[in-house]
């Protein structure tokens, strides 16, 4: 292998490539509107215009301040924020805080407080603490919004009735009887008309109604009420927009320092929490879309906090209201099909145009109509869905206390009170443990409900001592946590009770045994396997006794020196001679896994009847593990572990750590052939054991069929109940994978386990050697190209990963073909399907041999041998083939797709990701990081 020094003459006119090789090239920034962005911007603008005026009216600020905040939110937060489709502006959630500030400190000081709150948000964004805001209990957040909604609705009710609101909710409620006695019929009529249109417009039936519903209901309600009021000649207070020349800007804050600090904290808290939760909600809405519209990156919450801080600084300095993410406008933006932040920015431009050119039209709007609109928004903030959710999670007390605290005391005080109650409830649940004892049919049952901590040890000890000596006892632990003191107490009692002739069984909430080693064989061969889903691989040894190895299998499968796998006497001598025996070396690696993790059976086509040991395998990326956040981590079921694709004979349904376990399925893409070992090989066409047994009908029962049925039965019994809800959801909604994962068909590569993914996460294509045939090549394979086109154009995946691995039999066959072109199964032969397929790997072989080109390497060490070097080079070469496919090239140019190279070392269980540039391609190991949310 030559050094990375090119021998050809460098072209001085050719620009050096400075961006990462596998990322889209940088393009000069430009404002480019996608097809749906202008229409989405118009829809959001039509909603934002009346709401901005209504919120300004509700706070008591100058009405221009609402327009300033809407324009700044669209332009500044839209450009700098981390959530591309979130629309920011004056939010109803800030109405109470802003109204209180204006009442206490005046308008110019309120603008200064907004600037200071923006600076505080910038500081928090630089500290990257945005995710910490999501740690606040949802019951507190929903209670805060509900309290703000109640305050808004009660205050605006006075304007709807033709009066003016008071400074607090209590005062507004006390003044309500007098206001009802002296209501203004004209204002009430306009308000009722506005609410009627707002309620009925989204429910217009028929095809015409579907077309009319495209116009926002808020705009229709305000416009309709304004038109009726003008035609009827009603004398009502209307919008008054003074000249922009007299618009008040921010001034120096005046007031007690402690009060100003509290005001800044309140504004910062509400703005930040509402914006960050809104960004998360927008991500969920975007994830529900399909096709190209779903190719929008997830929100960067720290950047979003920085963008909101900058917007508040600008809005406050220009005399505008505080800015935050607005749920109504953001959801309208997503549903209108927006695909970039350009729609948000264009909506801000439209607000500026309206504020400058539409003043005469805006001054026709009755204030009662705007008040009715804002009152409806406040009522909607008291969400019945949120109430049902907190009730289901037993957090009604936190929700109610927060809501009442915000209504009676203020936002900051109410939130602080809610957090205190949430902490108290959590501590109560942690320390509350119920321990009961009863006797059924001579068996004593001790049931522990709740977390078992040192505080519950005295009660646990009393309950355990109620169990008579020498009796049978069952201790059911219905909790998720046990500290050291409780564990010691329980174990001491168990040892004492069993020493006195009694029996103790520890169970969980579902009756499964707890505190014992799982995956133990329960008896001789054929006995029921006791493995559970996600059994640790080191304990996964449920082989039901010795199994018979057919001649065709023993010809290519290495045997561990400690495994009891007898080889029948009928195996031909040639087959037995070609079955190497691997011995365990220090560090847990077999001698076949040295030098790059390549086992002795790595070669393809070393004998006519043998190939590397890897069988067909279903797509693990959409297999048996649920998404993160479900009952358990995603991975593979007990019936399909690493190496489980190579099976034969009889055995229990659970996978074995050595790879002699059950596996079934078909490999997507071109790798649908059955092939043993590290890389696929041709199935034996003749010889002992070839062909069906005499008299055996297709599909008749046999050892392999029984083993397959056992594996499926284990899945149905242990795994299916956990994933059924998730798979049912995917069946209803369809698959929306975020990544195309193209890897080798080797049975030791369990994609879902390596990537910690679950059903619906990965669109997996597996074939021999993780090859990507270039498009249009004669004799190419359309299945891989079809999968790429479907993943990119239909599913809208955002990244494609090409994953190779150590000890790849396909790469060994390519190397062997260079020295032995006459091999029947090598890549140089076109007489077999395998030989014709491996020709797509010849460019990788040529790239490795080209002394003028740099070859990729591993960070920290040199490749172990030529096979590992070819495995690394092949990943880079297949990425080049990927870029030649039209859908991939188009998506890369649009910036909607990323390409990644990955190398998995089987013997070390270590993944490496491709980094660097074209002249310095390095695979860097991915370090293990501690999961901060793992249970104690």
């Amino acid at each position: 292998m030559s050094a990375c020094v090119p021998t050809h003459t460098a072209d001085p006119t050719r620009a050096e490539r400075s961006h990462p090789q596998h990322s889209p090239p940088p393009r000069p920034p430009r404002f480019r509107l996608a097809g749906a962005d202008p229409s989405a911007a118009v829809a959001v603008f039509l909603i934002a215009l009346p709401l901005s005026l209504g919120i300004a009216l509700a706070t008591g600020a100058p009405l221009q301040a609402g327009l300033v905040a809407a324009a700044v939110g669209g332009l500044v937060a839209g450009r700098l924020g981390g959530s591309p489709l979130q629309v920011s502006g004056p939010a109803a959630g800030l109405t109470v805080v802003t109204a209180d500030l204006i009442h206490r400190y005046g308008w110019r000081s309120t603008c200064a407080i907004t600037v200071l709150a923006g600076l505080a948000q910038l500081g928090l964004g630089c500290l990257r603490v945005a995710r910490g805001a999501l740690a606040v209990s949802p019951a507190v957040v929903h209670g805060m919004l509900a309290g703000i909604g109640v305050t808004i609705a009660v205050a605006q009710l006075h304007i709807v009735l033709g009066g003016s609101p008071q400074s607090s909710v209590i005062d507004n409620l006390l003044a309500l009887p007098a206001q009802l006695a002296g209501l203004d019929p004209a204002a009430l009529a306009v308000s009722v008309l506005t609410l009627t249109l707002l309620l009925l417009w989204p429910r217009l039936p028929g095809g015409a109604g579907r077309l009319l519903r495209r116009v926002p209901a808020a705009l229709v309600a305000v416009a309709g009420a304004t038109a009726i009021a003008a035609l009827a000649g009603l004398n009502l207070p209307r919008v008054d927009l003074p000249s922009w020349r007299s618009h008040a800007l921010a001034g120096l804050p005046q007031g007690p320092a402690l009060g100003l600090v509290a005001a800044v904290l309140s504004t910062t808290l509400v703005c930040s929490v509402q914006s960050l939760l809104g960004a998360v909600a927008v991500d969920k809405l975007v994830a529900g879309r399909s096709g190209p519209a779903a190719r929008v990156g997830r929100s960067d919450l720290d950047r979003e906090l920085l963008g909101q801080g900058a917007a508040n600084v600008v809005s406050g300095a220009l005399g505008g209201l505080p800015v935050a993410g607005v749920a109504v406008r953001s959801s309208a933006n997503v549903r209108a099909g927006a695909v970039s932040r350009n729609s948000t920015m264009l909506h801000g431009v439209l607000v500026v145009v309206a504020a400058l050119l539409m003043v005469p039209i805006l001054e026709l709007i009755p204030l009662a109509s705007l008040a009715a609109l804002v009152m409806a928004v406040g009522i909607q903030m008291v969400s019945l869905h949120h109430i049902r959710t907190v009730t289901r999670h037993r957090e009604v007390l936190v929700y109610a206390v927060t809501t009442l605290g915000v209504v009676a005391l203020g936002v900051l005080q109410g939130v602080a009170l809610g957090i205190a109650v949430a902490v108290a409830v959590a501590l109560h649940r942690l320390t509350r443990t119920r321990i009961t004892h009863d006797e059924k049919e001579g068996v004593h049952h001790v049931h522990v409900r709740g977390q078992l901590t040192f505080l519950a040890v005295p009660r646990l000890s009393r309950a355990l001592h109620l169990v008579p000596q020498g009796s049978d006892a069952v201790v059911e632990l219905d909790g998720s946590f046990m500290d050291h003191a409780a564990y010691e107490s329980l174990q001491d009692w168990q040892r004492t009770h069993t020493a006195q002739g009694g029996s103790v069984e520890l169970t969980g909430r579902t009756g499964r045994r707890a505190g014992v080693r799982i995956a133990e064989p329960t008896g001789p061969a054929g006995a029921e396997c006791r493995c559970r889903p996600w059994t640790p691989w080191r304990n996964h040894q449920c082989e039901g006794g010795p199994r018979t190895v057919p001649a065709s299998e023993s010809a290519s499968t290495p045997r561990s020196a400690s495994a009891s796998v007898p080889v029948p006497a009928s195996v031909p001598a040639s087959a037995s001679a070609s079955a190497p025996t691997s011995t365990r070396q220090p560090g847990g690696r077999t001698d076949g896994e040295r030098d790059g993790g390549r086992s002795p059976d790595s070669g393809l086509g070393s004998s006519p009847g043998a190939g590397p040991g890897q069988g067909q395998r279903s797509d693990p990326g959409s297999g048996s593990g649920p998404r993160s956040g479900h009952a358990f981590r995603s991975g593979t079921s007990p019936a399909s572990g690493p190496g489980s694709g190579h099976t034969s004979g009889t055995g229990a349904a659970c996978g074995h750590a050595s790879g002699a376990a059950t596996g079934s399925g078909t490999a997507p893409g071109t790798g649908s052939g059955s092939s043993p070992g590290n890389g696929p090989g041709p199935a034996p066409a003749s010889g002992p054991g070839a062909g069906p047994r005499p008299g055996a009908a297709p599909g008749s029962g046999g050892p392999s069929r029984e083993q397959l049925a056992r594996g499926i039965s284990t899945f149905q019994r242990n795994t299916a109940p956990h994933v059924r809800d998730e798979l049912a959801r995917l069946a209803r909604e369809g698959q929306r994978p975020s990544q195309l994962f193209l890897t080798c068909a080797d049975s030791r590569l369990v994609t879902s386990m390596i990537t910690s993914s679950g059903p619906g996460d990965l669109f997996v294509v597996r074939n021999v050697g993780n090859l990507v045939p270039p498009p249009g090549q004669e004799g190419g394979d359309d299945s891989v190209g079809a999968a790429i086109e479907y993943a990119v154009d239909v599913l809208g995946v955002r990244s494609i990963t090409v994953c190779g691995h150590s000890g790849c039999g396909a790469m060994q066959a390519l190397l062997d073909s260079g020295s032995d072109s006459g091999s029947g199964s090598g890549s140089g032969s076109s007489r077999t399907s395998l030989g014709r397929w491996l020709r797509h790997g010849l460019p990788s072989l040529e790239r490795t041999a080209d002394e003028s080109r740099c070859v990729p390497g591993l960070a920290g060490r040199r490749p172990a041998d030529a096979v590992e070097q070819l495995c690394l080079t092949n990943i880079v070469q297949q990425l080049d083939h990927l870029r030649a496919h039209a859908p991939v090239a188009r998506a890369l140019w649009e910036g909607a797709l990323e390409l990644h190279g990955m190398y998995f070392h089987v013997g070390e269980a270590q993944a490496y990701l491709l980094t660097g540039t074209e002249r310095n391609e390095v695979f860097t190991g991915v370090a293990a990081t501690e999961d901060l949310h793992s249970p104690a």
Side-chain angles (χ1 to χ4, degrees), residues 535-597:
T535 300
W537 300 119
R538 59 187 176 84
N539 272 352
H540 207 212
Q541 299 172 0
C542 291
E543 186 85 13
R547 67 185 182 98
T548 304
V549 182
S552 59
E553 182 181 351
S554 63
S556 62
T557 306
R559 293 184 290 116
S560 172
S562 60
S564 59
V565 185
V567 179
S570 60
V571 176
S574 60
S576 300
S578 64
T581 301
S582 50
T583 58
R584 182 63 56 182
Q585 301 294 328
R589 185 184 301 182
T590 62
D591 57 357
E593 293 173 336
R594 294 194 305 265
D595 298 332

Side-chain angles (χ1 to χ4, degrees), residues 163-201:
S164 57
Q166 305 298 317
S167 58
S168 68
V169 178
I170 304 300
D171 293 339
N172 282 322
L173 290 175
L174 294 176
L176 193 56
Q179 187 65 61
L180 289 172
L183 60 84
D184 185 349
L188 181 61
V190 170
S191 301
V192 170
L193 177 60
T194 302
L195 293 174
T196 302
L197 290 174
L198 197 63
L199 180 65
L200 298 181
W201 189 261

Side-chain angles (χ1 to χ4, degrees), residues 47-59 61-74 77 87-96 98 107 114 152 270-271 274-275 308 311-312 315 319-330 347-348 351 374 377 381:
I47 295 175
L49 191 62
L51 279 178
S52 300
L53 293 172
I55 292 172
L57 173 67
T59 60
L63 296 184
Q64 296 102 319
L67 300 178
V68 171
V72 171
V87 182
S88 300
L94 292 163
T95 302
V96 176
T98 309
W107 171 241
T114 302
I152 292 173
V270 179
C271 288
Q274 182 165 343
S275 299
Q308 295 292 335
N312 274 313
S315 179
L321 291 171
V323 171
V326 185
V328 176
R329 302 175 209 180
S330 301
H347 130 268
V351 171
V374 176
V377 173
M381 293 174 70

Side-chain angles (χ1 to χ4, degrees), residues 170-271:
I170 304 300
D171 293 339
N172 282 322
L173 290 175
L174 294 176
L176 193 56
Q179 187 65 61
L180 289 172
L183 60 84
D184 185 349
L188 181 61
V190 170
S191 301
V192 170
L193 177 60
T194 302
L195 293 174
T196 302
L197 290 174
L198 197 63
L199 180 65
L200 298 181
W201 189 261
R203 295 170 173 81
L204 292 178
R210 185 166 56 251
L211 293 176
L212 292 175
R213 286 198 301 268
R214 295 183 178 180
V215 182
L219 178 68
V220 173
V222 174
T226 301
I228 296 298
L231 293 176
L234 299 178
N235 185 18
L236 292 170
R238 302 179 186 272
V239 170
D240 182 17
L241 293 176
S243 171
W244 287 102
R245 296 178 181 177
S246 60
H247 178 63
L249 302 179
L252 292 177
Q254 297 179 357
L258 190 60
L260 292 174
V261 171
V264 172
L265 289 178
S266 300
T267 307
T268 304
L269 172 68
V270 179
C271 288

Side-chain angles (χ1 to χ4, degrees), residues 31 73 203 264 365 572 673 715 751 766 865:
F31 189 80
R203 295 170 173 81
V264 172
I365 301 175
F715 166 78
T751 57
R766 306 189 72 153
D865 55 14

Side-chain angles (χ1 to χ4, degrees), residues 321-701:
L321 291 171
V323 171
V326 185
V328 176
R329 302 175 209 180
S330 301
S331 60
N333 193 35
V334 174
R335 292 192 177 98
V339 295
S340 72
R341 62 180 70 245
N342 293 335
S343 64
T344 304
M345 298 171 63
L346 182 58
H347 130 268
V349 173
L350 294 176
V351 171
V352 173
V353 173
L356 296 178
L357 303 180
M358 295 178 60
V359 172
I361 298 176
L362 296 178
E363 290 183 337
L364 297 176
I365 301 175
L367 296 182
S369 178
L370 292 178
L373 176 64
V374 176
M375 185 179 72
V377 173
I379 294 173
Q380 291 173 355
M381 293 174 70
V382 186
S383 171
L384 293 178
H385 172 70
H386 291 160
I387 295 175
R388 285 193 295 266
T389 301
V390 298
T391 302
R392 187 168 58 251
H393 291 89
R394 297 182 299 167
E395 293 183 324
V396 177
L397 179 62
V398 178
Y399 180 89
V401 168
T402 307
T403 301
L404 294 176
V406 170
V407 170
L409 304 175
V411 174
L412 192 61
Q413 295 87 341
V415 170
L417 192 60
I419 292 176
V421 173
V423 172
V425 169
L427 292 175
H428 174 71
R429 290 176 179 174
L430 181 62
T431 57
R432 182 172 179 267
T433 307
R434 293 183 58 193
I435 303 176
T436 60
H437 167 266
D438 61 350
E439 180 184 357
K440 296 179 181 178
E441 300 178 355
V443 178
H444 292 261
H445 294 263
V446 177
H447 191 183
V448 181
R449 297 180 179 89
Q451 317 311 319
L452 199 52
T453 66
F454 67 95
L455 297 175
V457 167
R459 284 178 290 148
L460 175 65
S461 179
R462 283 195 298 267
L464 293 177
H465 280 82
L466 294 176
V467 179
Q469 296 182 2
S471 62
D472 296 333
V474 175
V475 180
E476 183 176 349
L477 304 175
D478 189 359
S480 60
F481 176 77
M482 179 192 302
D483 70 0
H484 186 70
Y487 175 81
E488 288 279 347
S489 176
L490 186 59
Q491 290 298 314
D492 291 343
W493 173 84
Q494 182 181 14
R495 283 192 293 266
T496 302
H497 189 73
T498 53
Q500 294 172 348
S503 67
V504 178
E505 182 180 0
L506 303 180
T507 68
R509 68 181 64 187
T510 58
R512 295 178 180 174
R513 297 184 65 189
V516 296
R517 180 176 181 267
I518 58 175
E520 288 185 307
T522 59
E528 180 184 1
C529 174
R530 302 185 65 174
C531 284
R532 301 302 180 191
W534 324 123
T535 300
W537 300 119
R538 59 187 176 84
N539 272 352
H540 207 212
Q541 299 172 0
C542 291
E543 186 85 13
R547 67 185 182 98
T548 304
V549 182
S552 59
E553 182 181 351
S554 63
S556 62
T557 306
R559 293 184 290 116
S560 172
S562 60
S564 59
V565 185
V567 179
S570 60
V571 176
S574 60
S576 300
S578 64
T581 301
S582 50
T583 58
R584 182 63 56 182
Q585 301 294 328
R589 185 184 301 182
T590 62
D591 57 357
E593 293 173 336
R594 294 194 305 265
D595 298 332
R598 185 161 51 91
S599 56
D601 63 341
S602 301
L604 281 173
S606 57
S607 63
Q614 133 187 330
Q616 295 178 340
R617 178 162 187 90
S618 61
D619 173 6
S622 58
S624 53
R627 294 178 186 269
S628 175
H630 289 272
F632 45 83
R633 295 188 180 277
S634 53
T636 56
S637 68
S640 57
S644 63
H646 185 195
T647 63
S648 183
T650 61
C654 290
H656 195 282
S658 64
T662 357
S664 60
T666 58
T670 47
S672 59
S674 174
S675 46
N678 298 352
S686 61
R693 293 178 296 152
S700 62

